[in-house]
Amino acid sequence: MYWATSYPDRFKSEIWLMNQNTNARLVRLQDNRLRWQEWIVNNLGDEFLLAITYPENFPTQSPIPSVLKPDIKPAGAYYMFENKIICAMPSSSYSPNITAYAIRNRACAWTTFYGLYDRFCIWYGPTH
C-alpha cells in the first residue's frame, strides 16, 4: 500500500515542512513514488538540482537524496553512489521520525562539502 495513504497525517506534515521551509516542488515519478526537487545554491555559489525521493516503504526507510544536476560522476570518495544518490546520513542514524526536510538539509550541506572537494580534492564532510 502507498505510504501517503497509510500515513495521511505524516504525509500532511511532510508537505507542510517542505512548503514552509524550502522552494522544493513535489512531483510524482512514473513509478508513482513522490519526489521533492529543488534548485539550491551552496555557500560557494555552486548550483545544484537536488532530489529527495520517498521510497515505497517510507517512513520505515529513509528518503533518498540525490543530485540531478550538475552531472557529477559518482565516487565513494565524496559519498555519492550509483544513480547519483548521496550519503546524507549513515543508515544506522536513521529513525522513522526523520523527515524529508531533515534529509534535504543534510543534502544541502553535502553540496558545500562537494564544492570544497571539487576545488581542493579533499573531502571535508563527515565520513561513515
Side-chain angles (χ1 to χ4, degrees):
M1 182 176 275
Y2 188 67
W3 77 267
T5 55
S6 298
Y7 303 100
D9 291 339
R10 177 65 183 265
F11 183 56
K12 289 176 193 174
S13 174
E14 292 280 323
I15 290 173
W16 186 87
L17 279 169
M18 291 296 280
N19 285 338
Q20 289 296 310
N21 299 297
T22 75
N23 293 315
R25 198 179 110 223
L26 188 63
V27 298
R28 184 178 301 274
L29 302 177
Q30 288 180 339
D31 62 4
N32 252 358
R33 289 181 303 155
L34 294 174
R35 169 185 280 172
W36 292 100
Q37 290 184 184
E38 179 181 21
W39 279 101
I40 64 105
V41 178
N42 70 11
N43 294 347
L44 303 166
D46 305 322
E47 291 185 50
F48 295 84
L49 179 57
L50 292 180
I52 310 297
T53 306
Y54 291 104
E56 290 180 21
N57 57 350
F58 179 79
T60 306
Q61 184 181 3
S62 173
I64 303 161
S66 57
V67 175
L68 302 179
K69 293 184 181 176
D71 187 25
I72 300 171
K73 293 182 181 177
Y78 45 84
Y79 297 94
M80 175 182 271
F81 306 104
E82 59 188 65
N83 300 328
K84 302 199 177 223
I85 293 171
I86 60 174
C87 185
M89 69 185 307
S91 57
S92 60
S93 297
Y94 181 70
S95 146
N97 295 324
I98 293 177
T99 63
Y101 177 60
I103 298 296
R104 175 256 183 207
N105 289 343
R106 288 174 173 257
C108 288
W110 182 95
T111 67
T112 297
F113 295 130
Y114 178 77
L116 291 168
Y117 178 84
D118 192 41
R119 287 163 175 79
F120 304 112
C121 296
I122 299 170
W123 182 254
Y124 292 98
T127 58
H128 309 298

